[in-house]
Amino acid sequence: MSPEISKHIRRAALVFTVLTLSALLLYTATDSNRLSSGSFSSSSFATIFPSYLNYSSSSDELLSCKSNLMNVPQYIYIIKLFLLQSPTQELEEILKNASMVNNTVILTTLNDAWARTGSIVDLFLKSFMLGDGTRKLLDHLVIVSLDERAYNRCRIVHKHCYALVTKGVGFHQEAYFMTPQYLKMMWRRIDFLRTVLELGYSFVFTDADIMWFRDPFPRFFPDADFQISCDYYLGRPEDMNNSPNGGFNYVKSNSRSIAFYKFWYSSRETYPGYHDQDVLNKIKSDQMITKIGLKIRFLDTAYFGGLCEPSRDLNVVCTMHVNCCIGMDRKLHDLNLMLQDWRAFKSLPPDLKNQSIISWRVPRNCRYFFPLSINNSRSFMTFRFLHLQRWMLKKREKIDWNCT
């Protein structure tokens, strides 16, 4: 089927849907008492069309429409809003406004628990303001809100906000590690990122509990399709034994990455009860990856560190992740401590910076709260063994060399 025919079919379907909706709402409007009491409110409409919440007032057309509809009945106003843009068009517009010249954006997701005043998102944005050369990157950051309250807060603190509404699922509360709510949120994120790739946009995805201290782009591999940070890094970027962390990755939009994200998302059914990061660990060496032709690279924790394995040198660190930590209060404490350490480092004269007299004081509250499920415990022990093995090989090479 040609794109032109598909376009006409989609347009006809949209017109039919809107006409049906109009009839429904006009029928409902005959009961004036119900309308006046608000029984068919915007929240009721969101139940029928959840994407209605995705509309942003950043569009001049939408602003004009709003101003002209102030005295029009609510159901007519909502229908006109619905006609302005589809959710995909809304997303495309936001990505276009935020993208760099090479069609690359920075993305993070946010729910109400992390969006409240004084919470994770405030520290996240502050790190961009305090980092070296990172303030300008805020122009390319899109905050993807997972619930209405997070979206409203985003509109206050940032200019590029997108409301990702999932019908029948509320992500407004803190999603504790490996709970059903957590798993739904993680997999919804993977599916959304695939959509971004299909729209032609490359992205850096970052969890909001990652502090940005330097521009990471110079540290990325120019020829990789998919590059991801690590909980534990074994020394070689192509080593599939590295422990990936899905909280930070750089993905180029192409046919290989799109096919990979589809495979990754579908693999949740092969491994039920696992989150995206554990599934990635299981499929990263799968034959399907070779068939797709995806080039994977793992990012060095020297530049992209975390509490599992901190970046030791503040002179080169790009990002620091509060991983290996459960609970928002613990995360907030260690994030604040991390920002204090960075400020102290920044205040040093250049000669003292090079001496590395300041190091991280984290993990502190997060020190004994590593998220070790049975599967993760095994992974943890495996990676520690590999670390020890690598260290012993280096020692042996050094001894052999000294003896010759």
Side-chain angles (χ1 to χ4, degrees), residues 307-326:
L307 299 190
C308 300
E309 191 169 272
S311 173
R312 298 298 178 186
D313 189 351
L314 276 70
N315 289 286
V316 299
V317 62
C318 294
T319 63
M320 275 284 285
H321 189 183
V322 183
N323 51 9
C324 288
C325 185
I326 296 177

Side-chain angles (χ1 to χ4, degrees), residues 15-34:
V15 171
F16 175 78
T17 302
V18 171
L19 289 175
T20 303
L21 178 64
S22 302
L24 172 64
L25 293 177
L26 288 170
Y27 174 78
T28 307
T30 57
D31 187 349
S32 59
N33 290 331
R34 285 176 63 196

Side-chain angles (χ1 to χ4, degrees), residues 233-236 309 385-395:
Y233 182 72
L234 299 178
R236 293 187 298 116
E309 191 169 272
F385 172 76
L386 290 171
H387 267 286
L388 178 61
Q389 186 181 55
R390 183 174 58 133
W391 178 82
M392 291 175 68
L393 285 172
K394 284 185 176 180
K395 281 289 186 183

Side-chain angles (χ1 to χ4, degrees), residues 219-377:
R219 298 293 183 183
F220 292 144
F221 298 94
D223 57 344
D225 300 309
F226 176 84
Q227 37 202 308
I228 186 167
S229 64
C230 298
D231 285 337
Y232 304 102
Y233 182 72
L234 299 178
R236 293 187 298 116
E238 69 278 4
D239 189 348
M240 287 297 168
N241 288 314
N242 284 309
S243 171
N245 186 295
F248 187 91
N249 47 72
Y250 174 41
V251 189
K252 292 181 180 177
S253 175
N254 54 44
S255 58
R256 296 181 298 277
S257 62
I258 293 170
F260 166 66
Y261 266 79
K262 289 180 179 178
F263 173 57
W264 189 1
Y265 184 70
S266 66
S267 296
R268 78 195 189 284
E269 297 176 355
T270 309
Y271 302 100
Y274 287 81
H275 67 79
D276 59 313
Q277 188 170 301
D278 278 344
V279 171
L280 175 61
N281 245 330
K282 292 180 176 295
I283 67 172
K284 63 187 178 184
S285 299
D286 194 282
Q287 290 183 351
M288 180 60 73
I289 304 297
T290 305
K291 184 178 179 180
I292 291 171
L294 186 80
K295 188 169 184 177
I296 300 175
R297 289 294 179 265
F298 298 91
L299 299 171
D300 194 336
T301 50
Y303 311 114
F304 303 93
L307 299 190
C308 300
E309 191 169 272
S311 173
R312 298 298 178 186
D313 189 351
L314 276 70
N315 289 286
V316 299
V317 62
C318 294
T319 63
M320 275 284 285
H321 189 183
V322 183
N323 51 9
C324 288
C325 185
I326 296 177
M328 193 192 311
D329 290 340
R330 298 186 187 97
K331 283 180 179 283
L332 284 171
H333 178 274
D334 280 22
L335 284 169
N336 275 297
L337 204 59
M338 197 183 293
L339 287 177
Q340 291 173 21
D341 292 342
W342 176 254
R343 281 197 184 101
F345 170 78
K346 290 274 288 180
S347 67
L348 292 174
D351 56 330
L352 291 181
K353 285 182 181 178
N354 294 330
Q355 295 179 27
S356 300
I357 63 173
I358 291 181
S359 60
W360 303 115
R361 292 175 290 166
V362 293
R364 179 71 61 82
N365 283 15
C366 290
R367 185 182 299 274
Y368 302 110
F369 293 93
F370 287 12
L372 298 178
S373 64
I374 293 175
N375 294 314
N376 288 330
S377 297

Side-chain angles (χ1 to χ4, degrees), residues 36-69:
S36 61
S37 65
S39 61
F40 195 86
S41 62
S42 60
S43 61
S44 303
F45 183 87
T47 302
I48 301 174
F49 285 97
S51 58
Y52 140 75
L53 292 175
N54 288 349
Y55 295 108
S56 166
S57 61
S58 60
S59 166
D60 292 336
E61 183 180 6
L62 183 56
L63 284 171
S64 174
C65 178
K66 282 184 176 180
S67 63
N68 293 332
L69 292 172

Side-chain angles (χ1 to χ4, degrees), residues 94 97-98 138-144 154 158-162:
I94 292 173
N97 291 337
L138 286 172
D139 292 335
H140 309 295
L141 170 67
V142 177
I143 296 179
V144 181
C154 177
H158 192 58
K159 63 181 178 179
H160 300 305
C161 304
Y162 180 73

